Amino acid sequence: MTDAVPPSIAAWFAGRGWRVRRHQAEMLGADRANEHALLVASTGAGKTLAGFLPTLADAAEGPVEGLHTLYISPLKALAVDIQRNLRAPIEEIGLDLTVETRTGDTPSDRKARQRARPPNILLTTPESLSLLLSHADSFTLFAELKRVVIDEVHAFATQKRGDLLALSLARLQRIAPAMRRAALSATVADADGYRAWLAPYGDIDSVRLVLGEKGADPDIDILLPLGRVPWAGHSGRYAAPQVMELIAANRTTLVFCNTRSLAELIFQDLWKANDAGLPIGIHHGSLAVEARRKVEAAMARGDLRALVATASLDLGVDWGDIDCVVQMGAPKGSSRLLQRIGRANHRLDEPSRAILVPGNRFEYLEAQAALDAVEADERDPDIFRPGGLDVLAQHIMAMACAAPFAEAELLDEARSALPYSALTAEAFARIVDFIRDGGYALKSYDRFRRLAPDGTGEGNDRRWRVSHPRFVTQHRMNAGIIVDAATLDVRFKNGRKLGTVEEFFAASLSPGDTFFFSGLSLEVERIKDTDLIVRATTRPARIPTYVGARMPLSTNLAARVRELLYDRAQWARFPEDVREWLSVQSERSVLPEPGQLLVETFPREGRHYMVAYSFEGWNAHQSLGMLLTKRMETRGLKPLGFVSNDYALACYGLEPVTDPAALFSKDILREEFTDWVQQSALLKRAFREVSVIGGLVERQHPGRRKTGKQVTFSTDLIYDVLRKYEPGHVLLEAAWHDARARLTDVGRLGDLLDRAADTMLHVELERVSPLAVPVLVLIGRETVATGTADDALIAEAEALIAEAMAM
């Protein structure tokens, strides 16, 4: 198969001391056979080179004219990194190929030039591709397109950005019918699911599955604290001095955190322990583009000894000199852990080294479960779902901006994308009608009339055009799938931007307040429009908090944690204090069997507690806590509140719960859940997002940018009107679907309630159990910040632990 590799490329491989790997040659073979291809290969296996090899081979065999290959990545940084790394083979082989990036950061003059004189290889994101397709010249720009390469396909295929990309691929295939599709990933559980997603019309047989050569097994350890494994917390901050020792012992270390807030905290903790003054950086999505690029360049040069990062660097960025990855807190999933481990070493034949720093005792079990899952080559499940109606609305408007369309033709094109393969003509027509005039309740307002008839067709033969050129401008300014929380720009007085903080956090600040951001202690001078003006200070500061669901504990790791709890033969692998914790629990109460729902009830200091060990993740537990306390209220149990972590949910009140099974009955999803979602801010928040994606509400207007408050006010007003006058509106339907499926983990709630009736084990105790301590110590911590109250909470936790562990 390597015979198909052109001699000049084969010579370049040999000159570097490399060989053309089997999966790289197979990707070339698939392309030559006019097949689409999915490559699943370990990090460091040369996936990116495999994806581009057919393009390089075409250039080696003859001149390449116009736009030949599109490369699509989920991250702007990844596109920039790939451009840098592609230059080496192109220049060293002597190929006549031009390569450029096009993202939201690309200057407007370069964007205009790229449409007129495109490069041979264009590196872009799903959103930027959709914008390119909204131009009339897209039909000529992509007419000769030969290939599309989708990198890190697992990161977005099953989400709304994947819906948008699938629709864009359908349009590209219509413009260039011979175009071949290739997708790359290191962490795919359901390869056939991704093959179907990649294929036109879901024709799985048209996509060749290419499996990469297996690399060296990763070298993963769990860091143990110098003292005891903590009872609570999820950050691993206690280990900052030990992590600093790891940084000093390695050339370059990546320190991953699960949230932006934790990244800022860990960065500060590491600096306090950094007696040698080693260069350390920080990288997360709220920092200014310039700050991120500066840090990325410093890492590429080898100037930093460590970089504290979030999911902003989970994917693909290739810094070969990283020799250790540290995960602060539990990884929450085996696929995510493998992805992050893969950032170390980046060489297939040498093991990647990683250290896990669990935040508490349950997280120690989770870290061990993650190690076992990696060793068993187990991935987190991939859940494919029908495409979002709000995304479809945005895509239809983009296609209308490019040219008038026939409804039946565009429906068939949309159906060729797997997420929309089951789309009915009626549902499609509802979306078109919404774009036409906003719907029954809004059609009297001109600003919602974005489409007008183009011809005299009836039914599915209807033809449409954009009703006014201003709507084309409006679409291009506001298109996009990622709807961030409302933010303010953090700036120095001289105008230099450090990044953004969310509006709700900024609203809690007054002049003179201080907060940590971008590794600096900053003092607020004033808030002006959408800018938060600051200056550097040495005063103590707090950390910005960010809205957004926490990373959920994956179902496969939850199942493995349950096995570890119950199987005493596994306990020999645990530290002594973790073994003692489980042993006392088994004597004083029970350790739940895998699949069993253990519910403990006990009194303490005038309150009555109910703790359910459901292992369904924090997001699901938060929703369930709201539902249970509502049901407890209606049944006269006088609930006072609830707390949860990834493993357990604790409700507490003034009356004892004697029949928990009645509280966990399945009808809670039909009754309390529906009522709660409709009455809470949850549905309004979901409606805001689908309204922005669907184009009903503008984020930006020519000459001005709306503040988050203005966007929220607009969507809340429209939401109230639609709820009253058009409750069946297509965007209300989309918002309801989002609120159920994404914001509340309702699927996991349903699974939990399905098994509760048959598997619940209710244990009545006289006092708190050891297993309950990690969740109960959270009471009070989510609202109390610092000072003497915090000291009181620590004392309370110590008393709780002593009570639980007393035999």
Side-chain angles (χ1 to χ4, degrees):
M1 198 179 294
T2 55
D3 295 343
V5 178
S8 59
I9 296 178
W12 176 77
F13 270 88
R16 289 207 158 201
W18 298 347
R19 62 180 172 86
V20 178
R21 296 187 181 272
R22 174 191 49 75
H23 58 270
Q24 292 172 327
E26 197 172 340
M27 289 293 285
L28 178 57
D31 187 79
R32 295 291 166 90
N34 290 317
E35 295 176 335
H36 309 296
L38 169 67
L39 171 60
V40 181
S42 303
T43 300
K47 284 197 305 296
T48 306
L49 194 53
F52 282 108
L53 191 56
T55 303
L56 302 181
D58 284 355
E61 293 171 350
V64 170
E65 302 291 338
L67 181 56
H68 179 285
T69 297
L70 264 180
Y71 166 90
I72 300 165
S73 81
L75 295 178
K76 299 174 187 177
L78 190 51
V80 172
D81 187 67
I82 294 297
Q83 182 186 19
R84 183 175 64 241
N85 292 330
L86 255 185
R87 287 197 186 111
I90 289 172
E91 291 172 2
E92 292 168 14
I93 299 170
L95 301 175
D96 185 15
L97 282 174
T98 53
V99 185
E100 293 182 11
T101 60
R102 184 190 181 95
T103 70
D105 298 335
T106 305
S108 56
D109 58 338
R110 191 186 308 164
K111 287 181 178 179
R113 197 262 303 146
Q114 285 172 342
R115 286 174 36 224
R117 298 188 306 280
N120 305 130
I121 302 174
L122 184 62
L123 315 174
T124 190
T125 61
E127 291 81 2
S128 290
L129 172 59
S130 178
L131 285 172
L132 275 171
L133 288 168
S134 75
H135 290 271
D137 57 13
S138 61
F139 296 95
T140 53
L141 175 65
F142 296 112
E144 301 302 320
L145 185 68
K146 301 296 188 295
R147 306 186 65 243
V148 174
V149 180
I150 304 162
D151 205 355
E152 308 289 5
V153 66
H154 68 276
F156 55 150
T158 60
Q159 302 167 13
K160 286 190 177 184
R161 297 181 78 202
D163 297 345
L164 183 69
L165 179 55
L167 291 166
S168 295
L169 290 173
R171 170 49 59 101
L172 287 174
Q173 203 77 53
R174 177 185 159 196
I175 296 172
M179 178 193 82
R180 278 95 63 201
R181 309 178 185 190
L184 320 173
S185 179
T187 50
V188 161
D190 179 10
D192 284 349
Y194 283 94
R195 288 171 68 202
W197 180 88
L198 186 63
Y201 292 98
D203 179 12
I204 191 171
D205 293 331
S206 69
V207 179
R208 185 187 299 192
L209 176 61
V210 179
L211 298 176
E213 299 174 24
K214 184 172 171 55
D217 291 332
D219 176 10
I220 314 173
D221 289 314
I222 301 175
L223 185 144
L224 291 178
L226 298 174
R228 297 170 69 82
V229 178
W231 284 85
H234 53 82
S235 65
R237 292 182 64 194
Y238 64 86
Q242 292 167 274
V243 173
M244 200 61 233
E245 290 176 10
L246 287 169
I247 291 169
N250 290 288
R251 289 172 302 175
T252 315
T253 302
L254 260 182
V255 181
F256 275 112
C257 302
N258 289 341
T259 65
R260 290 167 283 180
S261 298
L262 180 57
E264 292 280 356
L265 279 169
I266 294 298
F267 183 79
Q268 296 297 328
D269 291 341
L270 290 177
W271 264 114
K272 290 173 187 172
N274 188 7
D275 296 332
L278 301 178
I280 301 174
I282 184 170
H283 190 290
H284 60 72
S286 291
L287 298 179
V289 172
E290 297 79 13
R292 296 200 302 270
R293 295 288 178 268
K294 187 177 178 181
V295 167
E296 290 160 14
M299 282 293 285
R301 292 193 305 268
D303 292 347
L304 296 179
R305 292 293 295 275
L307 182 60
V308 181
T310 61
S312 60
L313 287 183
D314 267 9
L315 305 172
V317 178
D318 184 2
W319 296 316
D321 289 334
I322 294 171
D323 45 8
C324 184
V325 165
V326 176
Q327 166 67 42
M328 303 301 297
K332 301 302 166 193
S334 55
S335 295
R336 182 180 297 111
L337 177 60
L338 276 170
Q339 192 71 42
R340 290 180 168 182
I341 291 171
R343 305 279 63 81
N345 202 355
H346 235 78
R347 288 180 287 276
L348 187 64
D349 302 321
E350 298 177 29
S352 299
R353 182 158 183 261
I355 307 290
L356 306 186
V357 184
N360 59 56
R361 297 181 178 206
F362 267 121
E363 283 198 353
Y364 181 88
L365 299 179
E366 185 185 329
Q368 191 66 62
L371 262 63
D372 293 347
V374 168
E375 188 174 324
D377 205 27
E378 180 180 271
R379 304 289 188 271
D380 301 322
D382 300 308
I383 301 172
F384 290 87
R385 38 168 256 314
L389 298 179
D390 49 342
V391 179
L392 179 61
Q394 184 178 129
H395 176 74
I396 293 172
M397 187 62 193
M399 298 307 95
C401 291
F405 67 88
E407 195 167 316
E409 290 178 8
L410 192 55
L411 170 59
D412 180 69
E413 185 182 302
R415 283 173 172 166
S416 73
L418 184 71
Y420 299 94
S421 56
L423 185 67
T424 65
E426 179 189 13
F428 189 80
R430 286 180 68 206
I431 296 290
V432 172
D433 290 343
F434 152 66
I435 305 169
R436 178 190 64 193
D437 57 23
Y440 167 76
L442 303 174
K443 62 170 56 179
S444 59
Y445 299 93
D446 287 345
R447 67 190 179 101
F448 298 121
R449 296 180 181 175
R450 292 180 285 164
L451 292 181
D454 182 64
T456 56
E458 295 293 333
N460 283 347
D461 294 327
R462 298 187 300 180
R463 292 185 59 85
W464 301 97
R465 60 174 175 82
V466 177
S467 60
H468 192 280
R470 74 172 182 274
F471 291 118
V472 176
T473 304
Q474 176 184 311
H475 171 81
R476 291 180 187 147
M477 288 189 69
N478 291 278
I481 298 302
I482 301 172
V483 182
D484 294 320
T487 60
L488 269 67
D489 292 338
V490 181
R491 295 184 187 274
F492 286 129
K493 201 181 329 186
N494 64 6
R496 179 187 158 204
K497 180 180 173 182
L498 295 173
T500 59
V501 292
E502 292 182 3
E503 194 172 62
F504 89 98
F505 173 75
S508 71
L509 299 172
S510 300
D513 288 347
T514 58
F515 64 100
F516 280 125
F517 187 75
S518 191
L520 301 170
S521 180
L522 303 172
E523 180 180 327
V524 177
E525 292 196 338
R526 67 185 188 281
I527 296 177
K528 180 183 177 184
D529 300 326
T530 58
D531 289 339
L532 180 62
I533 310 300
V534 298
R535 64 182 175 195
T537 181
T538 56
R539 292 168 52 204
R542 57 179 171 143
I543 299 291
T545 50
Y546 298 89
V547 172
R550 300 181 189 177
M551 291 179 177
L553 175 68
S554 69
T555 51
N556 65 327
L557 280 200
R560 284 185 172 274
V561 170
R562 287 172 164 276
E563 292 280 355
L564 290 174
L565 268 178
Y566 188 70
D567 185 2
R568 284 177 176 268
Q570 302 284 340
W571 293 7
R573 299 193 286 164
F574 306 158
E576 182 181 351
D577 48 351
V578 174
R579 292 199 303 271
E580 179 192 20
W581 170 55
L582 298 180
S583 179
V584 174
Q585 170 70 21
S586 67
E587 293 188 41
R588 289 218 33 246
S589 178
V590 211
L591 284 167
E593 297 177 15
Q596 192 174 57
L597 175 62
L598 172 63
V599 177
E600 295 176 332
T601 54
F602 49 84
R604 188 170 192 270
E605 296 184 349
R607 295 179 178 182
H608 292 274
Y609 293 83
M610 176 182 70
V611 183
Y613 302 94
S614 39
F615 298 88
E616 296 298 348
W618 184 86
N619 298 333
H621 291 163
Q622 286 291 108
S623 300
L624 184 58
M626 296 288 290
L627 301 179
L628 288 175
T629 49
K630 282 177 72 73
R631 181 163 280 193
M632 289 169 69
E633 184 71 44
T634 60
R635 300 191 177 198
L637 295 174
K638 301 175 184 176
L640 298 173
F642 72 92
V643 287
S644 66
N645 55 24
D646 275 328
Y647 320 97
L649 164 68
C651 299
Y652 50 96
L654 297 178
E655 299 291 338
V657 175
T658 56
D659 182 17
L663 296 178
F664 283 80
S665 62
K666 282 189 279 188
D667 60 7
I668 200 169
L669 285 182
R670 288 197 309 272
E671 298 172 9
E672 280 88 349
F673 179 78
T674 301
D675 181 60
W676 168 56
V677 171
Q678 290 180 339
Q679 300 304 320
S680 74
L682 189 70
L683 195 55
K684 278 192 175 182
R685 209 158 61 230
F687 182 76
R688 172 180 174 265
E689 181 172 309
V690 299
S691 296
V692 170
I693 292 174
L696 189 67
V697 174
E698 300 170 272
R699 287 179 269 202
Q700 299 183 72
H701 195 75
R704 67 180 187 273
R705 165 188 161 193
K706 278 190 177 181
T707 66
K709 286 181 180 176
Q710 288 171 323
V711 172
T712 301
F713 177 76
S714 300
T715 55
D716 284 358
L717 195 62
I718 295 172
Y719 173 83
D720 291 337
V721 168
L722 294 182
R723 281 286 305 275
K724 185 174 182 180
Y725 296 106
E726 194 178 355
H729 193 279
V730 68
L731 285 194
L732 283 178
E733 179 185 322
W736 175 248
H737 183 271
D738 271 16
R740 282 180 57 90
R742 184 171 53 84
L743 297 176
T744 62
D745 272 332
V746 71
R748 295 184 71 163
L749 281 183
D751 293 342
L752 166 63
L753 295 170
D754 279 342
R755 69 172 188 271
D758 298 324
T759 69
M760 181 181 289
L761 174 61
H762 176 205
V763 178
E764 295 183 73
L765 300 172
E766 294 179 358
R767 55 191 165 91
V768 60
S769 74
L771 216 58
V773 171
V775 68
L776 290 195
V777 296
L778 298 175
I779 295 175
R781 290 186 180 273
E782 301 204 354
T783 53
V784 178
T786 56
T788 55
D790 202 39
D791 295 336
L793 286 173
I794 292 171
E796 164 69 12
E798 290 173 351
L800 191 69
I801 292 165
E803 183 181 332
M805 295 297 286
M807 291 298 293

